[in-house]
Amino acid sequence: MDTVNLTIDNKTVVVKKGTTILEAASGVGVHVPTLCHMKLDDLNIENKPGGCRICVVEVEGRRNLAPACCTDVYEGMEVSTHSVRAINARRTVM
Ligand code: FES
């Protein structure tokens, strides 16, 4: 099984390749707000259009903020879920 090592809010995380930032954050107890993302496990439905941008997070080295619900993690990724920039962007989206 391929795994990916990354940090989310300075917490080291190891997840399967193909995991989104949102899923990885959830796995270590970091809450990222969502609006258009919907996952209904009972019905085996996951909707992640990436349209609302309420879930944006800051990724080191990336110019634009990343929508956590539809951005896959990669090796060495450094994510900040509650940076001032991300919070301000969410406020603007709202
Ligand atoms: S929750 Fe809407 S873009 Fe991620």
Side-chain angles (χ1 to χ4, degrees):
M1 177 172 69
D2 288 330
T3 58
V4 176
N5 299 286
L6 69 148
T7 60
I8 299 177
D9 295 346
N10 298 317
K11 295 179 182 176
T12 302
V13 184
V14 180
V15 294
K16 288 191 310 186
K17 194 173 184 179
T19 301
T20 63
I21 296 172
L22 183 66
E23 293 166 333
S26 175
V28 291
V30 174
H31 175 71
V32 176
T34 60
L35 187 59
C36 66
H37 177 262
M38 180 178 65
K39 186 171 185 180
L40 303 173
D41 289 329
D42 293 345
L43 300 175
N44 199 23
I45 294 174
E46 183 172 16
N47 182 34
K48 46 181 180 179
C52 75
R53 292 300 200 257
I54 205 73
C55 66
V56 289
V57 296
E58 196 156 5
V59 176
E60 183 71 29
R62 182 176 163 138
R63 187 171 165 207
N64 299 327
L65 297 172
C69 69
C70 57
T71 302
D72 287 351
V73 298
Y74 57 81
E75 186 66 32
M77 187 181 227
E78 294 179 31
V79 178
S80 177
T81 64
H82 291 84
S83 69
V84 171
R85 185 176 173 214
I87 290 170
N88 283 339
R90 290 178 196 148
R91 286 184 175 148
T92 300
V93 166
M94 281 301 290

